[in-house]
Amino acid sequence: ARLIERQADGSYAVVRGFTGAMHPYGCDDEFYGGQVDIGGNHVAIGGPEAYLFTNTSGASWDRLLVPTPAASPTGFGENEKVALSGDTLLVTAPPTQGGPYIFLPPYQQSSGNLSRPDALSAGRIGDLVLRNSVALVPSFDDPERARFAGSIGVFTSSDNRNFTYSAKLVTSDAQSTGFGGGDVGNHGRKVVASAG
């Protein structure tokens, strides 16, 4: 990932690079960068492993491998998605491991997870979004979980720590590929999402 900042003359320049982990199998699309997000003094990078970078002072950044929750001793998945809002970090995990997980400072252990079956047992998770106290958890179609095709679990929070299931958004024509990325409006009352 690359951190790009606006300079005094109005131009933009890359001022810092962040290194995560290469996919262990190194096939075609795994050579592209994973999902990234920035919030406050933090940068998160997804991939075969999720990393959190914290700006400690000036150009100094600490790198932390996001810890694997005790509930999932085998680790996360092969292509983790991340979302940041302030100090709150969301990281996906396979449905069998109970994700996505919420991490809060000091990030050494899981603070809990999004407790809703639609999210916990969703198929292949799309890009996570966490903005304005709203979390979007999209899922792709999975033959074994067809009922989740084209759905986005919407979770809301008053403190970016404790999330409550609010809605399940579905496509009107049951898109076979489901939703991919999405975003939340400034006041948390509008959602836009892409579909195949």
Side-chain angles (χ1 to χ4, degrees):
R2 299 290 180 262
L3 180 64
I4 301 169
E5 288 185 352
R6 187 174 183 179
Q7 306 301 298
D9 64 0
S11 64
Y12 288 85
V14 175
V15 296
R16 179 76 160 81
F18 301 99
T19 304
M22 283 291 289
H23 197 284
Y25 308 113
C27 179
D28 300 342
D29 59 342
E30 279 90 17
F31 285 120
Y32 291 98
Q35 186 179 14
V36 297
D37 204 357
I38 186 169
N41 290 321
H42 304 288
V43 169
I45 298 178
E49 297 172 331
Y51 286 90
L52 180 69
F53 296 82
T54 301
N55 185 209
T56 52
S57 67
S60 298
W61 293 77
D62 288 341
R63 182 176 101 151
L64 172 69
L65 172 65
V66 177
T68 301
S72 51
T74 59
F76 291 119
E78 293 181 354
N79 189 21
E80 292 318 308
K81 307 293 187 179
V82 294
L84 267 172
S85 181
D87 289 338
T88 303
L89 170 65
L90 263 57
V91 179
T92 58
T96 56
Q97 296 178 1
Y101 288 97
I102 303 170
F103 290 93
L104 302 169
Y107 304 111
Q108 266 62 52
Q109 61 183 357
S110 172
S111 65
N113 54 45
L114 300 180
S115 55
R116 175 69 183 183
D118 288 351
L120 297 176
S121 61
R124 292 173 292 161
I125 301 299
D127 291 349
L128 293 174
V129 174
L130 178 58
R131 185 168 292 113
N132 299 315
S133 298
V134 177
L136 302 183
V137 184
S139 66
F140 290 83
D141 188 13
D142 181 328
E144 296 180 5
R145 298 180 178 86
R147 65 187 181 281
F148 297 114
S151 67
I152 291 182
V154 180
F155 298 83
T156 55
S157 172
S158 60
D159 57 8
N160 257 6
R161 292 170 176 261
N162 301 290
F163 288 82
T164 302
Y165 174 81
S166 294
K168 179 178 179 179
L169 308 180
V170 297
T171 57
S172 60
D173 54 355
Q175 293 280 346
S176 61
T177 55
F179 285 115
D183 205 356
V184 179
N186 288 338
H187 302 290
R189 297 182 59 84
K190 293 182 174 65
V191 171
V192 62
S194 62

